[in-house]
Amino acid sequence: QQPVQSPQAVILREGEDAVINCSSSKALYSVHWYRQKHGEAPIFLMILLKGGEQKGHDKISASFNEKKQQSSLYLTASQLSYSGTYFCGTDHQGTYKYIFGTGTRLKVLA
Amino acid sequence: DAGVTQSPTHLIKTRGQHVTLRCSPISGHKSVSWYQQVLGQGPQFIFQYYEKEERGRGNFPDRFSARQFPNYSSELNVNALLLGDSALYLCASSFDTGGSGELFFGEGSRLTVL
């Protein structure tokens, strides 16, 4: 069951904030967030582990609600470089068998 | 340090042929996983290997196989290619197995099946 992301697409002006949500129908061990630009490989943004541990970049924040099986990625003061498709990757068993979400296309305009 | 490298970057095959894709992980990484990404969709998990052993397999037919070598590099093989196998194949490496570490992706091998 593929995690569902919302919104599917969002357009922002530079400096605006955005929230991207990821919802799973199964209990989660960890949630990863990746950004992929067109024609490029996905790059790691954030990992959130069951129990509250987080690892990621300083300018990215995220939350992980274990009970609701949801995660949200918070993008503040967006920059042009934030444009791309964002994927959450959910891991249910503590392995790297990630199930990636449906994706959110984000475009930041000058 | 070099990142994850994949070869070839692009290739065109015809239906029924066989293809081998190669991946070299980041130095020191022992886990390699393979993903298929169709245009407009998220990566779909195919295999994970750790210390040369298969640790996980996604919902792909037996035409897909993989292996990991003693130097931790990996190959993905696809037999009897179908049009639907056209996709970007991504390799990702990580230091260990388990969900607590990040995946480092290569640029991918774009396969077109005619």
Side-chain angles (χ1 to χ4, degrees):
Chain A
Q1 292 82 351
Q2 186 177 27
V4 177
Q5 291 183 227
S6 63
Q8 289 184 319
V10 59
I11 299 176
L12 301 172
R13 293 283 181 186
E14 268 188 301
E16 291 182 339
D17 302 338
V19 179
I20 300 173
N21 302 301
C22 174
S23 182
S24 173
S25 60
K26 297 175 66 173
L28 301 173
Y29 174 84
S30 69
V31 178
H32 287 209
W33 286 95
Y34 292 83
R35 177 174 61 222
Q36 186 176 28
K37 293 182 180 289
H38 182 70
E40 299 181 8
I43 59 167
F44 171 80
L45 297 175
M46 173 74 69
I47 180 173
L48 304 104
L49 301 173
K50 191 175 181 179
E53 185 180 354
Q54 295 186 9
K55 292 187 276 187
H57 296 278
D58 293 339
K59 297 186 178 180
I60 302 287
S61 64
S63 64
F64 181 15
N65 187 321
E66 296 173 34
K67 282 188 176 180
K68 292 185 177 181
Q69 298 164 184
Q70 293 175 343
S71 177
S72 294
L73 184 71
Y74 304 97
L75 303 173
T76 57
S78 59
Q79 305 171 16
L80 294 176
S81 62
Y82 288 9
S83 294
T85 302
Y86 289 76
F87 293 103
C88 64
T90 57
D91 170 29
H92 305 289
Q93 299 171 304
T95 71
Y96 282 122
K97 289 189 267 189
Y98 290 113
I99 309 299
F100 282 87
T102 50
T104 296
R105 294 188 310 280
L106 185 143
K107 186 170 181 62
V108 180
L109 303 176
Chain B
D1 284 342
V4 177
T5 58
Q6 293 186 242
S7 63
T9 54
H10 294 82
L11 67 167
I12 299 173
K13 294 285 188 178
T14 56
R15 281 179 297 175
Q17 286 189 312
H18 162 271
V19 67
T20 297
L21 308 178
R22 296 177 175 81
C23 172
S24 293
I26 290 172
S27 178
H29 284 193
K30 300 179 180 180
S31 178
V32 170
S33 52
W34 287 92
Y35 291 84
Q36 180 195 66
Q37 186 174 29
V38 175
L39 193 63
Q41 298 182 19
Q44 300 292 313
F45 173 76
I46 308 176
F47 285 108
Q48 185 213 13
Y49 277 79
Y50 178 73
E51 289 280 17
K52 302 179 290 294
E53 292 187 2
E54 181 183 305
R55 290 297 185 94
R57 184 185 184 114
N59 294 325
F60 281 81
D62 292 342
R63 299 185 294 107
F64 288 78
S65 63
R67 55 180 175 168
Q68 186 177 33
F69 299 100
N71 66 354
Y72 302 112
S73 67
S74 178
E75 280 183 358
L76 175 70
N77 293 283
V78 186
N79 292 324
L81 286 167
L82 303 174
L83 296 179
D85 295 331
S86 296
L88 178 67
Y89 289 84
L90 294 166
C91 170
S93 77
S94 53
F95 179 72
D96 57 12
T97 187
S100 61
E102 64 187 277
L103 297 176
F104 294 83
F105 284 90
E107 295 293 326
S109 294
R110 184 164 297 282
L111 171 66
T112 301
V113 182
L114 301 177

PDB file of all heavy atoms in Angstrom, chain B residues 48-70:
ATOM      1  N   GLN B  48      16.991  -5.532  -2.141  1.00  0.00           N
ATOM      2  CA  GLN B  48      18.007  -5.016  -1.267  1.00  0.00           C
ATOM      3  C   GLN B  48      19.031  -6.114  -1.001  1.00  0.00           C
ATOM      4  O   GLN B  48      18.651  -7.256  -0.723  1.00  0.00           O
ATOM      5  CB  GLN B  48      17.440  -4.523   0.049  1.00  0.00           C
ATOM      6  CG  GLN B  48      18.518  -3.857   0.913  1.00  0.00           C
ATOM      7  CD  GLN B  48      18.311  -4.058   2.396  1.00  0.00           C
ATOM      8  OE1 GLN B  48      17.512  -4.874   2.824  1.00  0.00           O
ATOM      9  NE2 GLN B  48      19.049  -3.304   3.176  1.00  0.00           N
ATOM     10  N   TYR B  49      20.304  -5.765  -1.074  1.00  0.00           N
ATOM     11  CA  TYR B  49      21.394  -6.683  -0.749  1.00  0.00           C
ATOM     12  C   TYR B  49      22.251  -6.070   0.339  1.00  0.00           C
ATOM     13  O   TYR B  49      22.499  -4.865   0.349  1.00  0.00           O
ATOM     14  CB  TYR B  49      22.265  -6.983  -1.978  1.00  0.00           C
ATOM     15  CG  TYR B  49      21.693  -8.071  -2.837  1.00  0.00           C
ATOM     16  CD1 TYR B  49      20.654  -7.817  -3.710  1.00  0.00           C
ATOM     17  CD2 TYR B  49      22.187  -9.361  -2.756  1.00  0.00           C
ATOM     18  CE1 TYR B  49      20.106  -8.823  -4.490  1.00  0.00           C
ATOM     19  CE2 TYR B  49      21.660 -10.385  -3.529  1.00  0.00           C
ATOM     20  CZ  TYR B  49      20.611 -10.106  -4.386  1.00  0.00           C
ATOM     21  OH  TYR B  49      20.079 -11.119  -5.148  1.00  0.00           O
ATOM     22  N   TYR B  50      22.668  -6.928   1.257  1.00  0.00           N
ATOM     23  CA  TYR B  50      23.563  -6.510   2.330  1.00  0.00           C
ATOM     24  C   TYR B  50      24.567  -7.614   2.549  1.00  0.00           C
ATOM     25  O   TYR B  50      24.179  -8.771   2.740  1.00  0.00           O
ATOM     26  CB  TYR B  50      22.794  -6.210   3.611  1.00  0.00           C
ATOM     27  CG  TYR B  50      23.665  -5.817   4.767  1.00  0.00           C
ATOM     28  CD1 TYR B  50      24.265  -4.580   4.802  1.00  0.00           C
ATOM     29  CD2 TYR B  50      23.894  -6.701   5.827  1.00  0.00           C
ATOM     30  CE1 TYR B  50      25.081  -4.218   5.863  1.00  0.00           C
ATOM     31  CE2 TYR B  50      24.699  -6.350   6.884  1.00  0.00           C
ATOM     32  CZ  TYR B  50      25.300  -5.106   6.901  1.00  0.00           C
ATOM     33  OH  TYR B  50      26.101  -4.745   7.948  1.00  0.00           O
ATOM     34  N   GLU B  51      25.833  -7.263   2.521  1.00  0.00           N
ATOM     35  CA  GLU B  51      26.902  -8.255   2.691  1.00  0.00           C
ATOM     36  C   GLU B  51      26.696  -9.456   1.765  1.00  0.00           C
ATOM     37  O   GLU B  51      26.804 -10.610   2.175  1.00  0.00           O
ATOM     38  CB  GLU B  51      26.983  -8.717   4.145  1.00  0.00           C
ATOM     39  CG  GLU B  51      27.519  -7.653   5.083  1.00  0.00           C
ATOM     40  CD  GLU B  51      29.041  -7.548   5.034  1.00  0.00           C
ATOM     41  OE1 GLU B  51      29.676  -8.046   4.079  1.00  0.00           O
ATOM     42  OE2 GLU B  51      29.622  -6.945   5.945  1.00  0.00           O
ATOM     43  N   LYS B  52      26.360  -9.156   0.516  1.00  0.00           N
ATOM     44  CA  LYS B  52      26.239 -10.144  -0.567  1.00  0.00           C
ATOM     45  C   LYS B  52      25.021 -11.051  -0.423  1.00  0.00           C
ATOM     46  O   LYS B  52      24.859 -11.979  -1.213  1.00  0.00           O
ATOM     47  CB  LYS B  52      27.520 -10.984  -0.669  1.00  0.00           C
ATOM     48  CG  LYS B  52      28.761 -10.127  -0.914  1.00  0.00           C
ATOM     49  CD  LYS B  52      30.012 -10.940  -1.001  1.00  0.00           C
ATOM     50  CE  LYS B  52      30.414 -11.533   0.324  1.00  0.00           C
ATOM     51  NZ  LYS B  52      30.799 -10.469   1.301  1.00  0.00           N
ATOM     52  N   GLU B  53      24.174 -10.790   0.532  1.00  0.00           N
ATOM     53  CA  GLU B  53      22.966 -11.597   0.678  1.00  0.00           C
ATOM     54  C   GLU B  53      21.719 -10.765   0.374  1.00  0.00           C
ATOM     55  O   GLU B  53      21.640  -9.601   0.752  1.00  0.00           O
ATOM     56  CB  GLU B  53      22.859 -12.154   2.108  1.00  0.00           C
ATOM     57  CG  GLU B  53      23.923 -13.188   2.423  1.00  0.00           C
ATOM     58  CD  GLU B  53      23.689 -13.842   3.774  1.00  0.00           C
ATOM     59  OE1 GLU B  53      22.678 -13.504   4.427  1.00  0.00           O
ATOM     60  OE2 GLU B  53      24.510 -14.681   4.167  1.00  0.00           O
ATOM     61  N   GLU B  54      20.754 -11.407  -0.258  1.00  0.00           N
ATOM     62  CA  GLU B  54      19.488 -10.729  -0.515  1.00  0.00           C
ATOM     63  C   GLU B  54      18.731 -10.562   0.786  1.00  0.00           C
ATOM     64  O   GLU B  54      18.435 -11.532   1.483  1.00  0.00           O
ATOM     65  CB  GLU B  54      18.653 -11.520  -1.521  1.00  0.00           C
ATOM     66  CG  GLU B  54      17.323 -10.862  -1.853  1.00  0.00           C
ATOM     67  CD  GLU B  54      16.485 -11.712  -2.794  1.00  0.00           C
ATOM     68  OE1 GLU B  54      16.983 -12.075  -3.871  1.00  0.00           O
ATOM     69  OE2 GLU B  54      15.320 -12.001  -2.418  1.00  0.00           O
ATOM     70  N   ARG B  55      18.379  -9.327   1.114  1.00  0.00           N
ATOM     71  CA  ARG B  55      17.658  -9.054   2.360  1.00  0.00           C
ATOM     72  C   ARG B  55      16.204  -8.686   2.120  1.00  0.00           C
ATOM     73  O   ARG B  55      15.410  -8.662   3.046  1.00  0.00           O
ATOM     74  CB  ARG B  55      18.328  -7.906   3.113  1.00  0.00           C
ATOM     75  CG  ARG B  55      19.671  -8.249   3.692  1.00  0.00           C
ATOM     76  CD  ARG B  55      19.575  -9.349   4.738  1.00  0.00           C
ATOM     77  NE  ARG B  55      20.834  -9.629   5.393  1.00  0.00           N
ATOM     78  CZ  ARG B  55      21.215  -9.088   6.536  1.00  0.00           C
ATOM     79  NH1 ARG B  55      20.423  -8.217   7.135  1.00  0.00           N
ATOM     80  NH2 ARG B  55      22.379  -9.410   7.064  1.00  0.00           N
ATOM     81  N   GLY B  56      15.874  -8.400   0.872  1.00  0.00           N
ATOM     82  CA  GLY B  56      14.497  -8.030   0.596  1.00  0.00           C
ATOM     83  C   GLY B  56      14.232  -8.046  -0.885  1.00  0.00           C
ATOM     84  O   GLY B  56      15.132  -7.818  -1.691  1.00  0.00           O
ATOM     85  N   ARG B  57      12.976  -8.335  -1.238  1.00  0.00           N
ATOM     86  CA  ARG B  57      12.583  -8.375  -2.630  1.00  0.00           C
ATOM     87  C   ARG B  57      11.211  -7.763  -2.751  1.00  0.00           C
ATOM     88  O   ARG B  57      10.306  -8.074  -1.964  1.00  0.00           O
ATOM     89  CB  ARG B  57      12.551  -9.820  -3.129  1.00  0.00           C
ATOM     90  CG  ARG B  57      12.231  -9.928  -4.599  1.00  0.00           C
ATOM     91  CD  ARG B  57      12.085 -11.365  -5.056  1.00  0.00           C
ATOM     92  NE  ARG B  57      11.870 -11.426  -6.484  1.00  0.00           N
ATOM     93  CZ  ARG B  57      12.709 -11.940  -7.359  1.00  0.00           C
ATOM     94  NH1 ARG B  57      13.833 -12.488  -6.940  1.00  0.00           N
ATOM     95  NH2 ARG B  57      12.454 -11.937  -8.639  1.00  0.00           N
ATOM     96  N   GLY B  58      11.034  -6.908  -3.726  1.00  0.00           N
ATOM     97  CA  GLY B  58       9.741  -6.284  -3.970  1.00  0.00           C
ATOM     98  C   GLY B  58       8.874  -7.155  -4.871  1.00  0.00           C
ATOM     99  O   GLY B  58       9.221  -8.282  -5.215  1.00  0.00           O
ATOM    100  N   ASN B  59       7.740  -6.632  -5.261  1.00  0.00           N
ATOM    101  CA  ASN B  59       6.774  -7.373  -6.078  1.00  0.00           C
ATOM    102  C   ASN B  59       7.124  -7.304  -7.556  1.00  0.00           C
ATOM    103  O   ASN B  59       6.414  -6.667  -8.339  1.00  0.00           O
ATOM    104  CB  ASN B  59       5.364  -6.844  -5.829  1.00  0.00           C
ATOM    105  CG  ASN B  59       4.907  -7.107  -4.415  1.00  0.00           C
ATOM    106  OD1 ASN B  59       5.249  -8.139  -3.821  1.00  0.00           O
ATOM    107  ND2 ASN B  59       4.153  -6.183  -3.856  1.00  0.00           N
ATOM    108  N   PHE B  60       8.210  -7.903  -7.915  1.00  0.00           N
ATOM    109  CA  PHE B  60       8.638  -7.963  -9.307  1.00  0.00           C
ATOM    110  C   PHE B  60       8.754  -9.419  -9.732  1.00  0.00           C
ATOM    111  O   PHE B  60       9.072 -10.290  -8.916  1.00  0.00           O
ATOM    112  CB  PHE B  60       9.990  -7.238  -9.472  1.00  0.00           C
ATOM    113  CG  PHE B  60       9.849  -5.748  -9.520  1.00  0.00           C
ATOM    114  CD1 PHE B  60       9.706  -4.995  -8.366  1.00  0.00           C
ATOM    115  CD2 PHE B  60       9.836  -5.087 -10.739  1.00  0.00           C
ATOM    116  CE1 PHE B  60       9.548  -3.627  -8.413  1.00  0.00           C
ATOM    117  CE2 PHE B  60       9.690  -3.715 -10.799  1.00  0.00           C
ATOM    118  CZ  PHE B  60       9.544  -2.984  -9.637  1.00  0.00           C
ATOM    119  N   PRO B  61       8.527  -9.700 -11.024  1.00  0.00           N
ATOM    120  CA  PRO B  61       8.578 -11.092 -11.497  1.00  0.00           C
ATOM    121  C   PRO B  61       9.992 -11.664 -11.441  1.00  0.00           C
ATOM    122  O   PRO B  61      10.975 -10.941 -11.282  1.00  0.00           O
ATOM    123  CB  PRO B  61       8.076 -10.981 -12.944  1.00  0.00           C
ATOM    124  CG  PRO B  61       8.320  -9.567 -13.327  1.00  0.00           C
ATOM    125  CD  PRO B  61       8.154  -8.756 -12.093  1.00  0.00           C
ATOM    126  N   ASP B  62      10.065 -12.976 -11.611  1.00  0.00           N
ATOM    127  CA  ASP B  62      11.357 -13.666 -11.535  1.00  0.00           C
ATOM    128  C   ASP B  62      12.305 -13.284 -12.662  1.00  0.00           C
ATOM    129  O   ASP B  62      13.485 -13.662 -12.620  1.00  0.00           O
ATOM    130  CB  ASP B  62      11.136 -15.182 -11.550  1.00  0.00           C
ATOM    131  CG  ASP B  62      10.463 -15.675 -10.295  1.00  0.00           C
ATOM    132  OD1 ASP B  62      10.488 -14.907  -9.294  1.00  0.00           O
ATOM    133  OD2 ASP B  62       9.916 -16.778 -10.290  1.00  0.00           O
ATOM    134  N   ARG B  63      11.787 -12.551 -13.638  1.00  0.00           N
ATOM    135  CA  ARG B  63      12.676 -12.079 -14.717  1.00  0.00           C
ATOM    136  C   ARG B  63      13.720 -11.098 -14.159  1.00  0.00           C
ATOM    137  O   ARG B  63      14.748 -10.878 -14.782  1.00  0.00           O
ATOM    138  CB  ARG B  63      11.858 -11.358 -15.794  1.00  0.00           C
ATOM    139  CG  ARG B  63      10.805 -12.192 -16.475  1.00  0.00           C
ATOM    140  CD  ARG B  63      10.141 -11.427 -17.602  1.00  0.00           C
ATOM    141  NE  ARG B  63       9.362 -10.274 -17.145  1.00  0.00           N
ATOM    142  CZ  ARG B  63       9.740  -9.006 -17.314  1.00  0.00           C
ATOM    143  NH1 ARG B  63      10.864  -8.719 -17.928  1.00  0.00           N
ATOM    144  NH2 ARG B  63       8.963  -8.018 -16.889  1.00  0.00           N
ATOM    145  N   PHE B  64      13.425 -10.556 -13.016  1.00  0.00           N
ATOM    146  CA  PHE B  64      14.343  -9.622 -12.357  1.00  0.00           C
ATOM    147  C   PHE B  64      15.188 -10.408 -11.356  1.00  0.00           C
ATOM    148  O   PHE B  64      14.666 -11.158 -10.525  1.00  0.00           O
ATOM    149  CB  PHE B  64      13.568  -8.533 -11.613  1.00  0.00           C
ATOM    150  CG  PHE B  64      12.909  -7.531 -12.513  1.00  0.00           C
ATOM    151  CD1 PHE B  64      11.735  -7.842 -13.173  1.00  0.00           C
ATOM    152  CD2 PHE B  64      13.454  -6.263 -12.678  1.00  0.00           C
ATOM    153  CE1 PHE B  64      11.120  -6.929 -14.012  1.00  0.00           C
ATOM    154  CE2 PHE B  64      12.842  -5.331 -13.500  1.00  0.00           C
ATOM    155  CZ  PHE B  64      11.672  -5.665 -14.170  1.00  0.00           C
ATOM    156  N   SER B  65      16.506 -10.210 -11.437  1.00  0.00           N
ATOM    157  CA  SER B  65      17.407 -10.840 -10.483  1.00  0.00           C
ATOM    158  C   SER B  65      18.558  -9.882 -10.208  1.00  0.00           C
ATOM    159  O   SER B  65      18.803  -8.943 -10.975  1.00  0.00           O
ATOM    160  CB  SER B  65      17.926 -12.178 -11.005  1.00  0.00           C
ATOM    161  OG  SER B  65      18.697 -11.986 -12.173  1.00  0.00           O
ATOM    162  N   ALA B  66      19.246 -10.126  -9.140  1.00  0.00           N
ATOM    163  CA  ALA B  66      20.359  -9.249  -8.791  1.00  0.00           C
ATOM    164  C   ALA B  66      21.377 -10.043  -7.994  1.00  0.00           C
ATOM    165  O   ALA B  66      21.114 -11.155  -7.525  1.00  0.00           O
ATOM    166  CB  ALA B  66      19.869  -8.042  -7.996  1.00  0.00           C
ATOM    167  N   ARG B  67      22.531  -9.453  -7.846  1.00  0.00           N
ATOM    168  CA  ARG B  67      23.539 -10.038  -6.990  1.00  0.00           C
ATOM    169  C   ARG B  67      24.478  -8.924  -6.520  1.00  0.00           C
ATOM    170  O   ARG B  67      24.555  -7.858  -7.142  1.00  0.00           O
ATOM    171  CB  ARG B  67      24.328 -11.134  -7.697  1.00  0.00           C
ATOM    172  CG  ARG B  67      24.978 -10.723  -9.010  1.00  0.00           C
ATOM    173  CD  ARG B  67      25.729 -11.876  -9.608  1.00  0.00           C
ATOM    174  NE  ARG B  67      26.269 -11.562 -10.933  1.00  0.00           N
ATOM    175  CZ  ARG B  67      27.160 -12.324 -11.565  1.00  0.00           C
ATOM    176  NH1 ARG B  67      27.598 -13.440 -11.022  1.00  0.00           N
ATOM    177  NH2 ARG B  67      27.601 -11.974 -12.759  1.00  0.00           N
ATOM    178  N   GLN B  68      25.188  -9.228  -5.443  1.00  0.00           N
ATOM    179  CA  GLN B  68      26.166  -8.287  -4.906  1.00  0.00           C
ATOM    180  C   GLN B  68      27.494  -8.993  -4.815  1.00  0.00           C
ATOM    181  O   GLN B  68      27.571 -10.152  -4.389  1.00  0.00           O
ATOM    182  CB  GLN B  68      25.734  -7.766  -3.527  1.00  0.00           C
ATOM    183  CG  GLN B  68      26.636  -6.668  -2.990  1.00  0.00           C
ATOM    184  CD  GLN B  68      26.157  -6.110  -1.660  1.00  0.00           C
ATOM    185  OE1 GLN B  68      25.582  -6.821  -0.841  1.00  0.00           O
ATOM    186  NE2 GLN B  68      26.398  -4.829  -1.434  1.00  0.00           N
ATOM    187  N   PHE B  69      28.530  -8.304  -5.181  1.00  0.00           N
ATOM    188  CA  PHE B  69      29.864  -8.892  -5.257  1.00  0.00           C
ATOM    189  C   PHE B  69      30.654  -8.604  -3.979  1.00  0.00           C
ATOM    190  O   PHE B  69      30.250  -7.760  -3.172  1.00  0.00           O
ATOM    191  CB  PHE B  69      30.586  -8.342  -6.478  1.00  0.00           C
ATOM    192  CG  PHE B  69      29.890  -8.675  -7.763  1.00  0.00           C
ATOM    193  CD1 PHE B  69      29.086  -7.742  -8.395  1.00  0.00           C
ATOM    194  CD2 PHE B  69      30.019  -9.931  -8.343  1.00  0.00           C
ATOM    195  CE1 PHE B  69      28.422  -8.041  -9.578  1.00  0.00           C
ATOM    196  CE2 PHE B  69      29.367 -10.236  -9.516  1.00  0.00           C
ATOM    197  CZ  PHE B  69      28.564  -9.294 -10.134  1.00  0.00           C
ATOM    198  N   PRO B  70      31.791  -9.307  -3.792  1.00  0.00           N
ATOM    199  CA  PRO B  70      32.588  -9.085  -2.573  1.00  0.00           C
ATOM    200  C   PRO B  70      33.000  -7.644  -2.359  1.00  0.00           C
ATOM    201  O   PRO B  70      33.202  -7.232  -1.225  1.00  0.00           O
ATOM    202  CB  PRO B  70      33.810 -10.000  -2.787  1.00  0.00           C
ATOM    203  CG  PRO B  70      33.289 -11.112  -3.640  1.00  0.00           C
ATOM    204  CD  PRO B  70      32.298 -10.449  -4.572  1.00  0.00           C
TER     205      PRO B  70
END
